[in-house]
Amino acid sequence: MMWKFMLCLLSMVTIVQGKERITLVDQGKTDYVIQADANDPVLQKAAAVINTFTKESTGVDFAIQAKGEVTHAIILEKSSITNMFPEDSYSIQAVGKNIYIEGSGKGVLFAAYRYVRDIIGGRKWYVGKENTSVPKLTFLTVDSDLKIYSKPNFEFREVYFPVELDQEYMDWYGLHNLEERWGDWGHTFSKILPPSVYFKEHPEYYSLYDGKRQPIQLCLSNEDVFNLTVAYFKRRISENPTATYWSIAANDDIGSCTCDRCQAIDKREGGAQGSLIHFVNRVAAQFPDKKFTTLAYLESANAPTHLKVADNVSVILSNIDAFRKNDIGSEPSAATFRRQLGAWKAKAKHVFVWDYLTQFTNYLAPFPIQGTMQESLQYLKTQGVEGVFLQGGGATYSDMAELNAYILANLAWDTTLSEEQLTNEFIEGYYGKAGPFIKAYLAERRNHLPGPSSALSIYGNPIDNRHDFLSPEAMDKYSTLLEKAEIASEGNPLVESRVRRIGLGLDYTYLQQARFYGPHQHGIFEQEGERWVVRQKVSRKVTQFVEDAKKLDVIELAEAGASPDSYAKEWSEIFKAGVRANKASEANIKLRYPFDPSFPANGLKTLTDSVPGYMDYSYNWLLWNGEPMDITFDFEQERRIDTITLNFLKDARHWIFPPKEIRISVSKNGKDFQDVFLSKLESVEEDYTLDKIPYQVLLNDSVKVIRVYAAPLAKLPEWRYHPKRKPLIACDEIWLN
């Protein structure tokens, strides 16, 4: 089972010969009471948990009393936080006929759920009462020499999946959440000194960046900024005195200050982490009895060269750049993270890790991390990490969220537990007769992953893996296994819905890949005579997917992405647009400047394959990074062209802008060219709206050669400046009709 000290006897039927037992419940009767301080809410809640589940299992509940001399009692006691009882730890032991449950913090409550798991045999698989199982027992006994001591492996444990919506689940596995622990969490500079309040009158409070003061980050060497920050936390701490942590961290962007005083610190310390840690240490020193956190992220990811982090400050390091095929301790792409972690441990007494365990660009896409979670958490524990923020899809469903949350919740408390055993227990208990097929499905996904150099990116796309573990052939195998699971679950609506939730991921993958294939095999459209029509399979799958997604707790399909309803609207527009023939596919195409190989889409055919781009630049678009798009279409002889149409993407968050200049010219002989279209962009206003910008030329002429030239912005606009990025342009199709 799942704990170091096991209580394996659940009824009188299983008594080991010669083993003395304490009988708590005997055929609907009990001599036991629960003794708990009536004025302590944690003890009272723990007593209620023990009573509720004992009654559900045996039909018997215990009387609850505050105190008194008893010889048949479950006695709940609160302990001070000490080395013996670090926060949230607990003990359960038999002394004579009494059972003593003692713990610090919420430890007694966590011990109460341990009682439910190990003595009663209850399990909570996922959110909601319907996902909790409690066996019906006639007898309830424990060993007379019962003695358990348990403490968590990590001081902070958050499993950021939909299980956070169920407080019972959180208490069942001894988990935390941000709202419970932090007075201010995460990126806080703009909370501490809101630019809307201070920037106009005091630009000097903000970072000198790209040659001028900008409200991106704070100037951490400014004494007024320090004084205002101290005043801010004095006020906030008085408003919320029970909060454990307070965050002082840069905004979620680059832009650290380059003024002389900030730079003097940063040059000495190797980067922006220098002025950040110097500032955080100063503020923390004003509140020596409080705990602060800061983020080692983006510009501050590396540890300072010389500075030590104050003892009342915890550094939260992110592994956002790591792929997830392997555990974090062995994954090649996590080498930088491992180096950074070691360096921070040398400079800070307290280090937490922000870990990522889903594909944020496509929550439902199969993301086979199973088999890596235990080793990842064991690695973090051996490196001295004290807290883990294990980020899944948050409130929305993501691939295998129930299983992943169950494994992570157990391992966050005790990394020595077996991930394989936890997986088997969950699959058998949650999927019942469908379990063997779900287990086979998970194994097939791992078996089809590509070689060790290939990524499993948290910012990937199911289209990226269309040649390996999400190929049509692999998808067929997965579908067959889930069909068998559906058949095995027939007659059990609850299990049927659980299996269907897994199937949503395959349907989503199929639909996303169909967008890529367009009018080709595995795509959206097929030809009937002279007409292109929507494949019935695609149309049915969209309807069923959207309907089921809304039933099965899918809120968003990506981080800050489409809801099921807006996804349905996208598909409606795709179906309505249909297929546009493109004479460009008949021409010889020459490319002067290469497109960005990071996003190859369908190669050069992307511009002529009659498949439009949608709002995701990672597929069906070709990108040019700081260079022009300069393309020539050369027909063997003159062709009648009525219109030239093309789209460019506007996605400022990813540094993709409409072209500074578009020039289209044509030639009848391949030598003499005439401009037929010229567009120049005068300025780029601050705008983060995601959009497609269309351009069209009415030509109505016969030509041999068409040249399309589009130049990117000469430099990034000030409001989206980045020292290491260039302006991108993205084009999805050049239609010649």
Side-chain angles (χ1 to χ4, degrees), residues 373-433:
M373 290 179 273
Q374 180 182 9
E375 291 182 345
S376 288
L377 286 169
Q378 283 181 332
Y379 170 77
L380 297 180
K381 177 61 180 174
T382 60
Q383 297 305 303
V385 172
E386 295 182 355
V388 286
F389 178 63
L390 305 170
Q391 186 174 2
T396 194
Y397 185 78
S398 54
D399 176 61
M400 300 306 300
E402 308 103 315
L403 172 62
N404 292 345
Y406 185 80
I407 292 170
L408 293 167
N410 280 284
L411 292 174
W413 186 279
D414 184 356
T415 62
T416 67
L417 302 176
S418 166
E419 180 176 348
E420 182 179 5
Q421 289 181 16
L422 290 170
T423 301
N424 290 339
E425 178 183 61
F426 182 88
I427 289 175
E428 291 169 12
Y430 191 68
Y431 295 108
K433 293 179 180 179

Side-chain angles (χ1 to χ4, degrees), residues 335-347:
T336 297
F337 164 76
R338 292 192 291 269
R339 174 186 59 76
Q340 291 169 338
L341 179 57
W344 278 111
K345 280 300 299 176
K347 299 294 182 181

Side-chain angles (χ1 to χ4, degrees), residues 342-363:
W344 278 111
K345 280 300 299 176
K347 299 294 182 181
K349 184 177 181 180
H350 309 290
V351 176
F352 292 4
V353 165
W354 188 327
D355 198 9
Y356 303 86
L357 295 142
T358 192
Q359 190 169 89
F360 294 95
T361 42
N362 299 275
Y363 281 141

Side-chain angles (χ1 to χ4, degrees), residues 560-614:
S563 67
D565 282 332
S566 58
Y567 190 64
K569 184 179 179 181
E570 287 179 19
W571 275 102
S572 177
E573 292 170 354
I574 290 169
F575 292 158
K576 184 179 178 180
V579 176
R580 298 170 60 183
N582 193 352
K583 292 180 181 178
S585 63
E586 303 168 17
N588 294 317
I589 307 174
K590 294 181 180 179
L591 186 66
R592 185 172 181 184
Y593 301 99
F595 55 81
D596 187 340
S598 301
F599 305 98
N602 196 24
L604 198 52
K605 291 182 180 179
T606 303
L607 302 178
T608 64
D609 61 5
S610 296
V611 182
Y614 305 107

Side-chain angles (χ1 to χ4, degrees), residues 35-37 40 43 75-79 100-104 108:
Q35 192 173 96
D37 185 344
D40 190 308
L43 298 185
I75 301 170
L76 310 183
E77 297 179 326
K78 202 80 167 282
S79 295
Y100 288 84
I101 299 178
E102 185 178 1
S104 63
V108 176

Side-chain angles (χ1 to χ4, degrees), residues 276-293:
L276 174 66
I277 295 302
H278 180 267
F279 181 79
V280 173
N281 282 351
R282 285 190 70 198
V283 175
Q286 302 299 307
F287 306 90
D289 60 334
K290 299 298 178 183
K291 295 180 180 180
F292 289 85
T293 63

